[in-house]
Every structure is written in structure tokens, then in C-alpha cells.
């Protein structure tokens, strides 16, 4: 019998990427608009990509099985 395909979660595929080592990478929030009133430190931290916690990674990987 053929293997059943799993649908990818549309919202998750836009927000997460799986790295070569299997970690889940994402971009921080609060970098889109009204940047003049936000603190420079806050914007600088948001510039870098974040890595999802190991407790949340399996759940995210189920949402994006083919990335």
C-alpha cells in the first residue's frame, strides 16, 4: 500500500526552516513597521534568526514534513 502524504501547514512553511543539522530556524518578530520608536537594542536582537527550543521542535517538524 502507498504511503499517505501529509499536508504541510501553510502558516508554518512561511515561518520556519529546517537547518542541515535538523534544528528549526525562524525570524524574530517586531521588525516590520513603526521602527523609529523601537529601541535600537530591540531591533538589533530581532535582526538575527532564532532557533526553536528542543521541546517545540518536534511539533514544528510535524507541521512542515517536507522542508
Amino acid at each position: 500500500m502507498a504511503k499517505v502524504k501529509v499536508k504541510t501547514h501553510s502558516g508554518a512553511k512561511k515561518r520556519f526552516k529546517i537547518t542541515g543539522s535538523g534544528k528549526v530556524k525562524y525570524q524574530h518578530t517586531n521588525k516590520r513597521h513603526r521602527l523609529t520608536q523601537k529601541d535600537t537594542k530591540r531591533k538589533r536582537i530581532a535582526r538575527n534568526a532564532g532557533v526553536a527550543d528542543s521541546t517545540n521542535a518536534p511539533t514544528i517538524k510535524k507541521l512542515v514534513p517536507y522542508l
Side-chain angles (χ1 to χ4, degrees), residues 3 7 18 20 36 38 50 52-53 57 61-62 65:
K3 190 175 179 183
K7 283 198 175 183
I18 309 298
T36 53
K38 290 173 187 167
D53 193 63
K61 286 179 184 178
K62 281 181 187 173

Side-chain angles (χ1 to χ4, degrees), residues 6-26:
V6 181
K7 283 198 175 183
T8 302
H9 191 281
S10 297
K13 74 180 175 189
K14 297 169 191 172
R15 290 171 172 82
F16 301 107
K17 294 276 183 270
I18 309 298
T19 63
S21 60
K23 293 180 182 178
V24 179
K25 192 169 77 167
Y26 66 92

Side-chain angles (χ1 to χ4, degrees), residues 23-67:
K23 293 180 182 178
V24 179
K25 192 169 77 167
Y26 66 92
Q27 270 309 120
H28 287 270
T29 58
N30 300 319
K31 274 288 286 183
R32 292 290 178 215
H33 58 96
R34 289 171 52 179
L35 296 172
T36 53
Q37 67 187 35
K38 290 173 187 167
D39 190 42
T40 311
K41 181 180 178 181
R42 182 173 160 190
K43 292 186 285 188
R44 183 173 64 246
I45 291 168
R47 226 179 275 149
N48 304 321
V51 178
D53 193 63
S54 59
T55 55
N56 296 326
T59 310
I60 297 168
K61 286 179 184 178
K62 281 181 187 173
L63 296 173
V64 280
Y66 303 113
L67 291 183

